[in-house]
């Protein structure tokens, strides 16, 4: 979160379900049958080209294996198609990292291998929050939620991260969350099993009030500029980013990383 403007059903980290859904459709990441909006017809000609918002939400819930507790909290199921897809990505990442870290050691490079990970829906799952706010993100609702609630880890990502760290990879978290959310974010990561350093040298949050000097764009950085610029800064400190993980393509664009791993997220889109 903040999604530099998040799911708000589909526009902002979402222009979200709405914009998000439309963006996902244009990108070809979801299929809703004949008549859906396409890259050629991004502005629907009739209502038949627009997926029904309620049906889209139902599909999202089914994909995550929506589980509702007695007190009305929503959680994703570890047996869901979402969880299966994530496990497949993690398996590929583990295979890649095993080889990449071994190659790095044998090459005797002075730089230390590192992995960089986004936070929301890459290492921490926002699903319960999204359902609680009806896929309508606001900074106020996010602050209220994060102050008192820990998000679950994205299935298996805590184990993958801890394993990579044990194998010699330095771990960095790079999120669009604002600096004021640092304590809540670090608490959450610790509480759900991320057993890696979580100090200011390893956890980067967006600081619009006092942007770092290594970002020429300052407070006006786009997501791509902010994230790629920070990865380049990490490499300038003597690290080599062998893998970069994110749920948005904007998390992964801009270079500074040998390989990218895209985690699934049909809930919102962040340019």
């Amino acid at each position: 979160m903040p999604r530099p403007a998040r799911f708000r059903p589909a526009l902002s980290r979402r222009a979200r379900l709405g914009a998000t859904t439309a963006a996902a459709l244009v990108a070809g990441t979801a299929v809703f049958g004949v008549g859906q909006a396409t890259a050629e017809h991004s502005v629907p000609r009739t209502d038949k080209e627009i997926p029904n918002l309620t049906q889209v939400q139902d599909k999202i819930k089914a994909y995550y294996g929506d589980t509702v507790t007695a007190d009305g909290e929503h959680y994703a199921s570890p047996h869901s198609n979402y969880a299966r897809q994530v496990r497949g990505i993690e398996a590929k990442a583990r295979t890649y990292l095993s080889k990449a870290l071994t190659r790095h050691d044998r090459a005797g490079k002075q730089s230390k291998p590192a992995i960089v990970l986004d936070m929301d829906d890459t290492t921490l799952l926002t699903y319960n929050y999204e359902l609680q706010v009806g896929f309508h993100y606001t900074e106020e609702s996010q602050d209220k939620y994060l102050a008192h609630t820990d998000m679950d880890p994205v299935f298996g990502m805590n184990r993958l991260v801890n394993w990579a760290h044990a194998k010699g990879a330095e771990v960095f978290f790079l999120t669009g969350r604002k600096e004021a959310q640092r304590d809540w974010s670090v608490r959450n990561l610790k509480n759900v099993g991320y057993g890696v350093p979580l100090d200011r040298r390893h956890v980067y949050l967006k600081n619009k009030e006092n942007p770092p000097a290594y970002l020429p764009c300052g407070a006006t950085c786009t997501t791509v500029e902010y994230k790629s610029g920070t990865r380049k800064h990490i490499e300038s400190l003597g690290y080599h980013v062998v893998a970069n993980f994110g749920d948005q393509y904007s998390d992964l664009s801009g270079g500074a990383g040998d390989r990218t791993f895209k985690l699934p997220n049909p809930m919102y889109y962040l340019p």
Side-chain angles (χ1 to χ4, degrees), residues 22 38-39 59 101 117 130 143 167 179 190 224 230 248 254 257:
T38 66
K59 285 179 180 289
L101 295 175
L117 306 103
E130 295 293 353
D143 282 349
K167 290 292 184 179
E179 178 62 35
K190 287 181 178 178
V224 173
T230 303
Q248 303 291 319

Side-chain angles (χ1 to χ4, degrees), residues 63 81-91 154-157 263-264:
Y63 170 64
N81 288 337
Y82 167 76
R84 291 190 195 89
Q85 188 174 357
V86 167
R87 283 194 291 270
I89 295 167
E90 290 167 352
V154 169
F155 296 112
M157 283 300 292
L263 278 294

Side-chain angles (χ1 to χ4, degrees), residues 6 11 45 56 81 133 175 210 215 225:
R6 236 182 140 164
L11 267 176
R45 295 177 176 178
V56 171
N81 288 337
V133 300
T175 175
N210 297 289
L215 292 177
E225 290 172 333

Side-chain angles (χ1 to χ4, degrees), residues 196-209:
V196 297
L198 296 170
D199 52 42
R200 288 180 176 272
R201 292 175 300 169
H202 293 85
V203 181
Y204 290 83
L205 293 93
K206 205 164 194 179
N207 191 336
K208 289 187 176 182
E209 289 72 28

